[in-house]
Amino acid sequence: MPERGYHRDGTMNCKEAVCVDAGRVYDSCADKDCAEDMQVYFTDRDRMLIDHATGIRTKGAEVLTTCIDVEALPFNRGYYSCDLTFYFEITLEVYSGHGVPTNTVCGIATFSKKVILYGGEGGVKVFRSEFCPEAHDRQEMPTRNMPRCTVQVAEPVILGAQLVEACDKRCSCGCGCCAIPESIQHRFGGCFVDCREGKTVLVTLGVFTIVQLIRNVQMLMPVYDFCMPSKECAPSSENPCELFRKMSFPVDEFFPPKAESGECGCC
């Protein structure tokens, strides 16, 4: 006899059809942008190190946050403009002269882009019981029947960095340090300053993104069974030395594997 909930061929038996409120992706796009010569903003403390620097070297770049604003297009119903502003944390190694120890500083670079996607139309007001009146974000107001925009960002690729004078015409100051959110300024523990004089750091990053417009809809879906975990929770009270003995020996750490066939072995 087949098990309960299964057919004789091993496939699961649909028990019922239920209505599920879920997010449906109405439109999406993938893009890669070359954010060229973005100005890096520093706090007043690190600004002095940049002004006296003789050279720089990028150590890393990380996406801190992305500000998203969704607005309906008046001339094309059902389509929405998604204004995206990315905030990158740039880590630099600063050289101040021969024989002088290097310093590590962190700054902020911003990059903005606009994407137009289809999100459908809705003529109702949406109210939810979990709405918090203390939340003043207009994107979460209960009367907006707008699709929500999600952005997936891969870690940026550092393509270049240079140290130039502030009066250099290549210095595109973008939105300015005044547009940096307070939450980011608190994280750095200081106020960001513009490059009125002195030196400026410009970086070029490669950014890979996926943008989606999602709207909650009700869908009828077949239900097979409840999702019960098949894995037991492993106890964590074992002796640490016993856990260490179970670990595999890291052979690749001592003997790095050779390059695969077809890969270039040179820089």
Side-chain angles (χ1 to χ4, degrees):
M1 293 291 292
E3 296 183 10
R4 181 181 178 183
Y6 287 82
H7 293 290
R8 293 184 180 274
D9 58 358
T11 59
M12 296 188 67
N13 181 24
C14 177
K15 291 186 175 181
E16 59 177 330
V18 297
C19 184
V20 177
D21 184 30
R24 174 186 173 183
V25 179
Y26 273 66
D27 201 0
S28 63
C29 65
D31 202 359
K32 55 180 181 179
D33 298 282
C34 181
E36 189 175 3
D37 290 343
M38 295 185 299
Q39 179 185 346
V40 183
Y41 298 98
F42 300 94
T43 59
D44 46 6
R45 178 188 57 188
D46 294 335
R47 179 75 253 173
M48 299 177 59
L49 295 174
I50 297 298
D51 289 338
H52 295 85
T54 59
I56 58 170
R57 185 174 71 89
T58 53
K59 297 184 63 176
E62 179 187 357
V63 183
L64 287 183
T65 185
T66 303
C67 292
I68 307 172
D69 185 41
V70 181
E71 294 294 338
L73 295 181
F75 55 85
N76 202 347
R77 298 185 61 181
Y79 284 83
Y80 298 83
S81 171
C82 305
D83 296 303
L84 316 174
T85 302
F86 302 91
Y87 295 89
F88 304 99
E89 180 180 4
I90 310 297
T91 305
L92 301 171
E93 199 170 32
V94 180
Y95 302 91
S96 301
H98 182 69
V100 180
T102 60
N103 295 279
T104 301
V105 299
C106 293
I108 292 294
T110 64
F111 172 66
S112 299
K113 64 178 297 184
K114 178 179 292 187
V115 176
I116 296 178
L117 295 173
Y118 178 77
E121 296 184 69
V124 298
K125 293 183 179 181
V126 181
F127 297 88
R128 296 182 177 91
S129 59
E130 65 270 16
F131 173 71
C132 180
E134 289 79 13
H136 300 291
D137 186 1
R138 294 188 59 84
Q139 297 295 317
E140 301 296 332
M141 293 297 286
T143 57
R144 284 172 61 101
N145 186 24
M146 302 277 286
R148 68 179 186 272
C149 178
T150 63
V151 181
Q152 303 176 45
V153 190
E155 288 302 319
V157 180
I158 302 175
L159 302 177
Q162 52 186 325
L163 185 67
V164 299
E165 295 296 331
C167 59
D168 196 315
K169 293 186 182 301
R170 291 175 296 175
C171 177
S172 57
C173 292
C175 61
C177 63
C178 297
I180 298 178
E182 292 185 3
S183 58
I184 296 180
Q185 297 195 36
H186 292 327
R187 171 173 176 168
F188 283 77
C191 297
F192 289 87
V193 293
D194 276 320
C195 57
R196 300 301 180 185
E197 56 184 15
K199 297 179 180 179
T200 303
V201 176
L202 304 180
V203 296
T204 300
L205 301 180
V207 185
F208 296 91
T209 57
I210 294 179
V211 185
Q212 297 175 323
L213 270 189
I214 302 174
R215 186 184 289 275
N216 273 30
V217 295
Q218 288 73 42
M219 296 181 291
L220 193 65
M221 301 180 63
V223 175
Y224 297 97
D225 210 337
F226 291 104
C227 300
M228 289 297 297
S230 58
K231 179 181 177 180
E232 295 183 358
C233 298
S236 58
S237 59
E238 293 187 29
N239 187 285
C241 292
E242 292 296 330
L243 292 176
F244 178 74
R245 294 189 184 97
K246 295 179 182 179
M247 296 175 60
S248 301
F249 193 86
V251 180
D252 290 343
E253 298 295 329
F254 292 88
F255 307 99
K258 65 179 182 179
E260 298 291 340
S261 59
E263 293 185 0
C264 179
C266 58
C267 296

